[in-house]
């Protein structure tokens, strides 16, 4: 029986949102300063008066824009080593470790940036589908390649990745409204399964 697993990352497999954790880890002083500057935008976001992608790009860019890919990747590796497996829910890790790899394809589908999500995907032995950071001449531009990987975009990117492959069963795991299109599409959609 050929199965496809689609796992959301932040909150589903982890206890916390990794974006804030990573940016704080990258540069604590700059993080605190930019967090305070972005509070008005975060409030507007809560009130749904501004797009998530816009706020996300602005906040991430305020800390990482202009940084070298080499430094960012080095910091991502350190971040992973520092937090893995502590931030991963134990029952989620047990589940992942017991996946039958011969008959199952597993995707880590996240709105988080590939910058810091990639080491986790590698540790989980999953293919990564994420928001992609744009680098030019080895420097982070502060922009994304394509859209923020959330909501309907998650589903579009999954379909693009599997490209008409046939599965006997597609099982998805998520924990927010941004996972709903993926959960509805799957044969089995599990909401907050590992909580």
């Amino acid at each position: 029986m050929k199965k496809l697993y689609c796992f959301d990352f932040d909150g589903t497999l982890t206890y916390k949102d990794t974006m804030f954790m990573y940016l704080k880890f990258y540069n604590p002083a700059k993080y605190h300063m930019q967090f305070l500057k972005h509070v008005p935008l975060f409030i507007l976001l809560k009130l749904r008066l501004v797009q998530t992608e816009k706020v996300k790009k602005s906040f991430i860019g305020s800390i990482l824009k202009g940084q070298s890919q080499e430094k960012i990747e080095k910091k991502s590796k350190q971040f992973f080593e520092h937090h893995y497996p502590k931030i991963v829910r134990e029952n989620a890790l047990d589940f992942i470790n017991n996946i039958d790899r011969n008959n199952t394809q597993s995707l880590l589908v996240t709105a988080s940036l590939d910058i810091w999500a990639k080491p986790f995907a590698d540790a989980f032995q999953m293919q990564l589908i994420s928001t992609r950071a744009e680098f030019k001449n080895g420097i982070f531009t502060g922009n994304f390649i394509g859209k923020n990987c959330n909501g309907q975009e998650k589903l579009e990117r999954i379909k693009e990745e599997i490209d008409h492959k046939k599965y006997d069963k597609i099982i998805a795991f998520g924990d927010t409204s941004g996972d709903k299109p993926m959960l509805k599409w799957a044969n089995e959609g599990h909401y907050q399964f590992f909580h």
Side-chain angles (χ1 to χ4, degrees):
M1 186 172 171
K2 198 157 170 51
K3 281 197 277 195
L4 174 70
Y5 280 132
C6 302
F7 296 93
D8 166 56
F9 182 45
D10 294 291
T12 298
L13 299 182
T14 65
Y15 290 108
K16 292 177 178 175
D17 186 303
T18 55
M19 180 185 83
F20 291 102
M21 289 179 76
Y22 176 75
L23 295 174
K24 191 175 182 179
F25 182 85
Y26 193 91
N27 187 332
K30 205 169 186 186
Y31 170 85
H32 290 298
M33 190 175 75
Q34 290 300 336
F35 187 91
L36 287 174
K37 277 189 183 173
H38 279 77
V39 164
L41 272 178
F42 293 146
I43 291 166
L44 289 174
L45 187 60
K46 278 265 184 259
L47 298 170
R48 297 188 178 175
L49 295 172
V50 67
Q51 275 187 318
T52 306
E53 189 166 336
K54 190 183 171 187
V55 178
K56 187 174 176 175
K57 215 177 264 189
S58 173
F59 188 52
I60 291 171
S62 71
I63 295 161
L64 299 181
K65 189 178 176 180
Q67 297 289 303
S68 74
Q69 187 164 0
E70 194 183 351
K71 185 182 176 187
I72 284 173
E73 283 173 0
K74 190 180 170 191
K75 276 285 196 184
S76 299
K77 192 171 180 287
Q78 290 169 351
F79 175 75
F80 169 78
E81 285 164 357
H82 187 75
H83 289 291
Y84 183 84
K86 293 192 297 269
I87 62 164
V88 182
R89 296 178 185 275
E90 280 174 43
N91 52 346
L93 206 50
D94 284 345
F95 188 95
I96 290 162
N97 290 337
N98 285 301
I99 290 172
D100 171 9
R101 303 285 174 178
N102 297 321
N103 301 301
T104 310
Q105 184 182 358
S106 298
L107 304 175
L108 187 65
V109 191
T110 177
S112 270
L113 261 68
D114 46 7
I115 287 172
W116 64 85
K118 181 84 172 74
F120 289 91
D122 292 345
F124 297 146
Q125 295 174 59
M126 293 180 196
Q127 225 163 325
L128 179 65
I129 294 177
S130 67
T131 304
R132 293 169 290 199
E134 183 188 67
F135 290 92
K136 279 189 181 158
N137 305 319
I139 301 295
F140 180 48
T141 65
N143 286 320
F144 303 156
I145 297 168
K147 294 178 184 169
N148 184 36
C149 186
N150 200 22
Q152 192 60 31
E153 182 64 15
K154 277 193 175 189
L155 185 52
E156 297 309 318
R157 294 276 305 279
I158 292 167
K159 287 177 177 175
E160 202 179 288
E161 184 63 46
I162 62 175
D163 188 33
H164 305 300
K165 279 190 203 132
K166 291 278 179 269
Y167 298 92
D168 298 306
K169 199 177 233 186
I170 297 171
I171 303 161
F173 301 87
D175 77 317
T176 64
S177 59
D179 300 315
K180 283 188 175 158
M182 170 177 86
L183 296 177
K184 270 186 189 163
W185 167 78
N187 302 119
E188 274 181 33
H190 296 284
Y191 187 72
Q192 299 188 345
F193 184 79
F194 301 113
H195 286 219

